[in-house]
Amino acid sequence: MPHDFDQAILLAPAGGHRFDGATHAAYANMVGPFGGTTGAAMLNAVLLHSERIGEPIALTVNFASPLADGAFEIEACPARTNRSTQHWQIELTQNGEVAATGSAVFAQRRETWSATEAQLPPDIPPASALRRMSQAGFPAWVSRYNMRFLPGFAPGPFTGEEQDHSISRFWVRDEPPRPLDFPSLAAICDCFFPRIFIRRRRPAPIGTVTLTTYFHADTPLLAQQGDRHVLGLARGLNFRNGYFDQTAEVWSDDGHMLASTHQMVYFKE
């Protein structure tokens, strides 16, 4: 049977630069679908496009309105192709109205000098040493991920007692296991719980406004990771007047940075 994630990002060519898709109940969120699958579907439209060259190095998704359950259409248009990079404009519509806009940059990577300045926190236990987080009380999409939080960095309980940081550290993979690729990595980059939930230890109405992901991995590195857990690290930098940001990193289990991601989120008191 196809993996639920592959069904959630499944697209059918609809002529020109257009593709038809639909939301999937397994990735339902509090309102509409999990934003990670929306972004992954938009990226998939470029990956499936006959004019695409190279692999993704950046994806930005702007959520213009909540996406309803049901069918949608994605239009992915190449804006410019250079020697090594290709720039895309992406638009997702539903019932004739724009629900999300975005852009993507693809590139043909060449082997060069490489280095990683970001550093992992010390003493990270392996995923096998931690228990999977309970999915009770969470939206459906949470059950599609096997999340194992490090001690002291779990998303709950909601006590209402504000803490002095919004840091999360956890291992995560698709559930059931699925080999990592660019769409699933893009979705994982949105699976971090809202920073305001972590900081204030209580729920609040929220909505991601814009999400940008930078892909540091290439296809061989993703293939090397397979279907094992990846490590997610996230924190908020600022909470102010109804909006907060989040910066996050995703690492392989052998210490390679796979992606970094940044988003701005609306919240309501």
Side-chain angles (χ1 to χ4, degrees):
M1 293 291 293
H3 196 285
D4 283 341
F5 181 78
D6 294 296
Q7 294 296 306
I9 67 168
L10 182 66
L11 299 175
H17 301 295
R18 300 186 306 277
F19 297 85
D20 290 331
T23 61
H24 194 289
Y27 290 89
N29 204 350
M30 292 179 290
V31 177
F34 168 48
T37 51
T38 301
M42 294 174 73
L43 179 65
N44 200 32
V46 182
L47 289 166
L48 294 173
H49 201 290
S50 60
E51 298 180 33
R52 185 263 298 183
I53 65 169
E55 299 180 340
I57 61 171
L59 171 70
T60 294
V61 178
N62 306 305
F63 297 91
S65 70
L67 193 63
D69 294 332
F72 57 77
E73 183 180 87
I74 297 175
E75 185 172 27
C77 297
R80 177 161 179 157
T81 300
N82 300 318
R83 284 186 59 188
S84 60
T85 61
Q86 188 177 51
H87 300 257
W88 291 81
Q89 296 175 336
I90 315 168
E91 186 175 86
L92 186 151
T93 58
Q94 191 174 54
N95 300 321
E97 295 187 328
V98 174
T101 64
S103 63
V105 181
F106 277 59
Q108 295 180 330
R109 290 183 177 269
R110 297 174 178 86
E111 188 171 348
T112 64
W113 173 85
S114 303
T116 302
E117 290 198 11
Q119 295 184 350
L120 284 168
D123 304 321
I124 297 290
S128 59
L130 303 170
R131 288 188 176 183
R132 182 184 180 186
M133 183 192 75
S134 171
Q135 294 81 57
F138 288 98
W141 75 266
V142 178
S143 67
R144 298 294 88 198
Y145 290 97
N146 187 306
M147 300 182 183
R148 303 184 180 208
F149 282 83
L150 276 65
F153 295 99
F158 287 149
T159 63
E161 297 180 5
E162 184 175 325
Q163 62 182 18
D164 61 0
H165 72 81
S166 61
I167 299 173
S168 290
R169 296 175 181 172
F170 65 106
W171 292 99
V172 58
R173 65 162 169 77
D174 287 291
E175 184 65 32
R178 178 187 180 281
L180 192 66
D181 57 13
F182 287 112
S184 61
L185 179 57
I188 284 174
C189 283
D190 194 35
C191 76
F192 300 91
F193 292 107
R195 296 302 92 199
I196 198 165
F197 290 13
I198 310 300
R199 177 67 187 264
R200 305 191 75 184
R201 291 292 181 183
R202 60 185 176 91
I206 64 96
T208 299
V209 178
T210 184
L211 166 65
T212 295
T213 297
Y214 300 106
F215 300 97
H216 305 293
D218 54 17
T219 294
L221 187 55
L222 295 182
Q224 180 178 316
Q225 178 64 28
D227 62 5
R228 302 187 305 278
H229 284 81
V230 295
L231 179 67
L233 310 173
R235 62 175 297 198
L237 300 181
N238 192 55
F239 304 80
R240 181 174 174 79
N241 295 345
Y243 294 87
F244 66 88
D245 68 338
Q246 173 187 279
T247 181
E249 303 163 9
V250 178
W251 294 74
S252 69
D253 60 353
D254 58 357
H256 293 283
M257 180 179 277
L258 302 176
S260 55
T261 179
H262 310 272
Q263 62 179 274
M264 183 67 82
V265 184
Y266 160 83
F267 73 90
K268 184 178 180 180
E269 289 281 4

